[in-house]
Amino acid sequence: MALSLNKTKLDNLATDIWKSAERLRGKFKAYEYQSVILPIIVIRRLECVLLAWREKRSAEVLAKRPKLTEKELAKLVKELEMNPQQSPFSNKTDWTLRKVYEEDHMLLEENFRAYINGFSKNVDDIIEHFNYRATISLMVKNNRLAPILNQYKEMELGPDKLSGLEMGYIYEELLRRFSEQSGEEAGEHFTPREVIRLMVELLEIPVPDRHFSIYDPAGGTGGMVSVAKEHMLDRAFTPAEKERVEKFLTLHCEEISRTNYAICQADFLIKNDKQATVLLGNSLIPHDPDSKEPGDQFPETKYRFNHMLSNPPFGVTWGGKDGYEKEARKLQKTRYQAGMPRVNDGALLFLQTMLAKMQPPEKGGSRIAIIFNGSPLSNGNCGSGESKIRRWILENDWLDAIVMLPDQLFYNTDIFTYIWLLQNEKPADHSGRVMLIDARQQFEKEPKSFGNKRNRITEAHRQWIEQCYREGWAKGYADEQVKLFHTTDFAYHKVKVVFWQTDEHDQPAIITEPYERKFTAANLAK
């Protein structure tokens, strides 16, 4: 499995695509750029897959029936395409982006809409979630439909030219640029493949011999679960093992962003992965059929998962006027019974959501890997919601290990990140203990920076981390970067100490005076 990207190639492609966004300036507002560009990328990528399928199937049919005329061949292949058992998706028309563009431009909108409307229902669902039909009207009004079609009509975006990993980077880079243009902060971060691989290895996901489920409550564009499956197939050495992965492994992810959901759906459709389920919804709140905003589509009352892994957005606001606090608090007595974090950081809500969906120990239990920034480790005073959640996790002995990763690993942020590993069926030598692994120095420099990604974890670094995790529990194991603690070592009480004196009448003498000088490490040492 290749862990690196051809940065020059992808930078050039991202720049070419970005040029089409720049052509929208003055006609569209900055926040509208992505509603024009991302859907046409997905449509063109799907078109590349469909054209390749038609070419391959035509060759197969012609090899068996060489006397077919061109018209007869086209008719037969179209019939095969319209059969869902033969093709994962279809388009009932003969249009392509190139044909639409090369026809009479007076009919450009009509022909393009006919092409869009000709796709099968599964692709139509993707187009609907992009709300692309409304965007077409704006493109026509602003005289931008022809230039956009011209740029994308022959762009090589098929999976034979761009892997899922490479396409994921393109989406991430474009989303970053769109956020910058619209003055927004990009809180979501595409997870590098080497980090996902490390998470998968630390979870020790086996080649299954019965149904085995993987879940991501913040699915994004699907990279986390997709790469997890790719890695499992990579580890399956025999055809029989690969068949077991395809047969028994099911992928489940939720995504709140309609754009990311549509991209994720398209990716699984291109792969023709029938064992993957992607649903639109906010995994942190209960689902209300009468609400315009869908909630959790995999409630713990119905779903439990064997392994879970996620990279939820950092610092997501869940309260206040921009959040969904009222809906989330409906789960305060069940899923979030341990506590609720501050309203401007929902990271621990994602973790509690995953913990609620663990298989019970008598059914084999569950294992979790989740990426956090430093906030969930330390935010919240003693007795706060965050502190109560951490206490609940430690008292239940679910926290297994925390791995501190190098900085500058991610494309859109250069901060230090942490992998939390949790499980509810710990081995005996893990029981009551937590391992901390300092892997901040386990990296090498990227030959060329990729956004904020200037460092990478190589095979040797990954193996070092895995070895620490596997062997570090043994008595006598010694490594300065590996520390073992009892769960009770993290417990403390906050005590308020009041100093007072008595006056000449032996009465408490309490004087409240402001102390202007700031306490620092330097003056406290004195």
Side-chain angles (χ1 to χ4, degrees), residues 7 194 444-449 453-456:
K7 297 177 174 56
E194 75 261 26
E444 70 175 25
K445 286 293 181 183
E446 291 277 8
K448 178 184 176 184
S449 63
K453 182 172 173 54
R454 301 177 184 89
N455 299 329
R456 65 183 180 189

Side-chain angles (χ1 to χ4, degrees), residues 318-480:
W318 62 276
K321 63 179 183 179
D322 297 324
Y324 33 84
E325 185 174 357
K326 181 180 177 181
E327 290 78 10
R329 290 198 180 277
K330 292 177 182 179
L331 297 173
Q332 196 165 4
K333 293 183 179 180
T334 52
R335 181 189 296 180
Y336 305 134
Q337 60 184 294
M340 302 191 81
R342 63 192 64 195
V343 295
N344 62 353
D345 189 356
L348 288 171
L349 293 182
F350 281 102
L351 180 55
Q352 289 180 92
T353 294
M354 297 167 84
L355 290 168
K357 298 179 183 185
M358 292 189 294
Q359 290 279 13
E362 59 269 20
K363 292 187 177 181
S366 297
R367 303 189 68 174
I368 294 170
I370 187 169
I371 297 176
F372 283 147
N373 61 10
S375 298
L377 280 171
S378 56
N379 273 4
N381 210 339
C382 184
S384 67
E386 292 94 339
S387 178
K388 289 178 180 178
I389 296 166
R390 290 191 291 265
R391 175 180 176 178
W392 173 67
I393 291 170
L394 289 165
E395 288 183 345
N396 279 284
D397 197 17
W398 290 331
L399 183 59
D400 197 36
I402 296 176
V403 181
M404 186 175 188
L405 298 174
D407 63 350
Q408 302 178 61
L409 275 184
F410 288 76
Y411 303 108
N412 279 357
T413 180
D414 57 3
I415 63 175
F416 284 106
T417 52
Y418 305 79
I419 298 176
W420 287 36
L421 299 173
L422 305 97
Q423 57 177 316
N424 60 348
E425 184 69 358
K426 282 188 176 182
D429 59 342
H430 294 211
S431 181
R433 300 198 290 174
V434 177
M435 178 185 289
L436 303 183
I437 302 174
D438 183 356
R440 286 177 292 180
Q441 301 306 314
Q442 298 301 312
F443 70 91
E444 70 175 25
K445 286 293 181 183
E446 291 277 8
K448 178 184 176 184
S449 63
F450 218 4
N452 286 314
K453 182 172 173 54
R454 301 177 184 89
N455 299 329
R456 65 183 180 189
I457 295 175
T458 66
E459 181 79 7
H461 301 128
R462 182 181 60 76
Q463 288 180 357
W464 180 88
I465 297 170
E466 291 172 25
Q467 184 177 6
C468 290
Y469 177 65
R470 285 196 307 268
E471 301 177 5
W473 305 95
K475 187 176 181 180
Y477 184 87
D479 191 312
E480 282 301 309

Side-chain angles (χ1 to χ4, degrees), residues 29 39 89 91 95 116 175 185 249 377:
K29 293 179 176 146
F89 60 94
N91 190 299
W95 289 114
I116 294 299
L175 288 170
E185 182 68 27
L249 179 66
L377 280 171

Side-chain angles (χ1 to χ4, degrees), residues 177-421:
R177 296 192 191 191
F178 292 140
S179 297
E180 285 180 354
Q181 286 291 313
S182 58
E184 298 174 353
E185 182 68 27
E188 301 167 7
H189 305 284
F190 177 73
T191 313
R193 182 186 288 252
E194 75 261 26
V195 176
I196 302 176
R197 182 177 180 185
L198 173 62
M199 295 170 73
V200 173
E201 288 285 2
L202 292 173
L203 284 176
E204 299 175 333
I205 302 178
V207 174
D209 54 12
R210 60 177 67 90
H211 176 241
F212 192 92
S213 56
I214 295 178
Y215 170 68
D216 183 352
T221 56
M224 189 73 75
V225 293
S226 292
V227 174
K229 181 172 182 177
E230 285 176 24
H231 184 54
M232 290 180 69
L233 287 168
D234 193 51
R235 291 180 58 199
F237 297 111
T238 67
E241 287 184 338
K242 291 183 185 296
E243 184 180 345
R244 280 160 49 195
V245 172
E246 293 288 3
K247 180 179 179 181
F248 294 121
L249 179 66
T250 57
L251 307 177
H252 310 259
C253 61
E254 289 182 85
E255 176 52 37
I256 190 172
S257 161
R258 292 179 182 274
T259 297
N260 286 346
Y261 163 80
I263 292 171
C264 185
Q265 279 281 49
D267 185 53
F268 283 120
L269 191 57
I270 288 167
K271 294 174 182 173
N272 195 22
D273 192 334
K274 297 178 181 177
Q275 296 283 67
T277 302
V278 185
L279 297 176
L280 179 70
N282 182 347
S283 60
L284 303 183
I285 63 174
H287 180 60
D288 180 357
D290 297 323
S291 173
K292 293 182 179 179
E293 294 298 325
D296 189 0
Q297 303 295 303
F298 296 105
E300 55 268 29
T301 52
K302 295 181 180 179
Y303 297 91
R304 297 296 173 104
F305 303 99
N306 301 105
H307 279 34
M308 292 169 264
L309 65 169
S310 190
N311 177 18
F314 301 153
V316 61
T317 296
W318 62 276
K321 63 179 183 179
D322 297 324
Y324 33 84
E325 185 174 357
K326 181 180 177 181
E327 290 78 10
R329 290 198 180 277
K330 292 177 182 179
L331 297 173
Q332 196 165 4
K333 293 183 179 180
T334 52
R335 181 189 296 180
Y336 305 134
Q337 60 184 294
M340 302 191 81
R342 63 192 64 195
V343 295
N344 62 353
D345 189 356
L348 288 171
L349 293 182
F350 281 102
L351 180 55
Q352 289 180 92
T353 294
M354 297 167 84
L355 290 168
K357 298 179 183 185
M358 292 189 294
Q359 290 279 13
E362 59 269 20
K363 292 187 177 181
S366 297
R367 303 189 68 174
I368 294 170
I370 187 169
I371 297 176
F372 283 147
N373 61 10
S375 298
L377 280 171
S378 56
N379 273 4
N381 210 339
C382 184
S384 67
E386 292 94 339
S387 178
K388 289 178 180 178
I389 296 166
R390 290 191 291 265
R391 175 180 176 178
W392 173 67
I393 291 170
L394 289 165
E395 288 183 345
N396 279 284
D397 197 17
W398 290 331
L399 183 59
D400 197 36
I402 296 176
V403 181
M404 186 175 188
L405 298 174
D407 63 350
Q408 302 178 61
L409 275 184
F410 288 76
Y411 303 108
N412 279 357
T413 180
D414 57 3
I415 63 175
F416 284 106
T417 52
Y418 305 79
I419 298 176
W420 287 36
L421 299 173

